[in-house]
Amino acid sequence: MEYKTLIFEQIDNYGKITLNRPDKLNALNYQLFSELDDLIQKIELNQSIQLLILTGSGEKAFAAGADIVELNNSDTAPSGRQFSEYGSKVMLRLEQLRIPVIAAINGFALGGGLELAMSCHIRFASEKAKMGQPEVNLGIIPGYGATQRLPRLVGKAKALELIISGNTINALIAKEIGLVNDVFPHEELMDKTIEFSKLVLSKAPLAVSAAVNTVMASDYLNLQDGLTFESRIFGDVCGTKYFKEGTNAFLEKRAANFTGQ
Ligand code: COA
């Protein structure tokens, strides 16, 4: 599939997706979702990609939400539901990738744009970024997961405050409430994101992927089942060559080398 609304690059062992509708502030339309779905499926199968960065093109936006031109046509209950289910399915697929996915929020992340960022495992934001769930201004509620992921990230009260007011917050407030992991000067956002990515990529890849998988499972497992799941995955990683290299390196007082294994 040829991508018109996305740019994908593989740089060594990580991938970078750039949402590419800058004239429309990277608004998420049907074409973009279908291209993203196709790309995620390819990344699922590509063992050489061990981490993914997601960002927006242009100077202004990560993504300014679902495409309101398309949304405007979803004016019946069945079509609205279908609109929500499709985007939600693609975002869940992104969240369920077994590699870390990092959003580099380079500007507006509103509505579906913030929901897409929340489907990533980690969020870094530019000082210029602005975030919010403005759907109530359009007479709707969020439809790509904010009612579920936002309270998990910032607590129910803050999530409701944002969703029922439609207020936009800046990056520093987003960090204060736990919505983004860190905030950087605009020009440094991508360098800092890559610096963190390279740190993660220097660790044992199967341990990193097991950590992503196990922590994400805490969203749907109760404590007892979660602990059982953690022990099972812990056992799995104990059986890997990376575990032997990591522990041997410690005992031999040298740095572990997980590359080329
Ligand atoms: N869907 C479709 N098009 C969008 C869009 C969206 N969510 N957000 C922005 N655009 C388009 C604008 O219509 C405009 O297109 P045009 O040049 O053909 O008229 C272009 O992107 C630039 O946006 P503009 O509004 O002129 O930029 P701005 O800097 O004045 O304002 C925002 C930026 C983000 C405040 C404003 O675009 C906005 O409020 N967007 C909608 C946000 C929203 O409600 N998202 C939730 C959707 S569920």
Side-chain angles (χ1 to χ4, degrees), residues 23-25 27 60 64-69 71 108 110-111 134-135 138:
D23 296 348
K24 300 293 175 190
L25 305 188
K60 277 172 86 172
D67 189 303
I68 299 174
V69 176
L71 175 62
F108 288 112
L110 299 174
E135 287 85 352
L138 302 170

Side-chain angles (χ1 to χ4, degrees), residues 37-245:
D37 195 30
D38 181 83
L39 180 53
I40 295 168
Q41 289 182 51
K42 293 204 169 84
I43 292 169
E44 279 166 358
L45 299 171
N46 186 339
Q47 301 280 331
S48 70
I49 298 175
Q50 292 171 4
L51 181 144
L52 190 61
I53 295 171
L54 183 61
T55 195
S57 66
E59 277 304 300
K60 277 172 86 172
F62 175 77
D67 189 303
I68 299 174
V69 176
E70 287 184 358
L71 175 62
N72 186 248
N73 294 322
S74 301
D75 52 3
T76 63
S79 62
R81 182 174 177 162
Q82 198 180 24
F83 187 94
S84 163
E85 283 175 349
Y86 186 57
S88 234
K89 183 195 84 170
V90 177
M91 291 191 193
L92 185 63
R93 183 160 215 156
L94 180 72
E95 187 179 54
Q96 288 179 339
L97 274 174
R98 288 174 171 270
I99 55 173
V101 183
I102 304 177
I105 306 173
N106 56 310
F108 288 112
L110 299 174
L114 182 55
E115 290 170 303
L116 181 61
M118 288 192 287
S119 309
C120 299
H121 303 123
I122 287 186
R123 282 156 294 285
F124 294 135
S126 141
E127 271 170 0
K128 287 190 187 170
K130 297 257 187 305
M131 284 157 261
Q133 295 295 154
E135 287 85 352
V136 284
N137 299 326
L138 302 170
I140 48 173
I141 63 164
Y144 299 148
T147 65
Q148 305 306 304
R149 292 192 180 96
L150 191 55
R152 284 170 163 84
L153 288 168
V154 304
K156 253 192 267 183
K158 268 286 162 205
L160 262 176
E161 181 188 326
L162 284 170
I163 291 171
I164 67 176
S165 68
N167 278 346
T168 298
I169 56 172
N170 66 32
L172 289 177
I173 293 185
K175 182 178 174 186
E176 202 177 288
I177 65 175
L179 181 54
V180 301
N181 295 66
D182 216 338
V183 179
F184 300 112
H186 187 70
E187 325 66 60
E188 293 177 23
L189 175 65
M190 193 44 70
D191 285 350
K192 293 284 187 191
T193 303
I194 291 172
E195 186 182 311
F196 178 81
S197 300
K198 288 192 169 163
L199 173 71
V200 174
L201 289 163
S202 73
K203 312 295 176 187
L206 283 181
V208 169
S209 140
V212 169
N213 190 10
T214 319
V215 171
M216 294 320 289
S218 69
D219 274 349
Y220 58 86
L221 295 177
N222 65 35
L223 183 63
Q224 185 58 59
D225 290 345
L227 293 173
T228 305
F229 184 60
E230 182 188 84
S231 294
R232 179 160 77 70
I233 302 295
F234 182 89
D236 289 349
V237 286
C238 281
T240 66
K241 59 193 174 185
Y242 299 106
F243 168 71
K244 271 288 160 219
E245 167 60 11

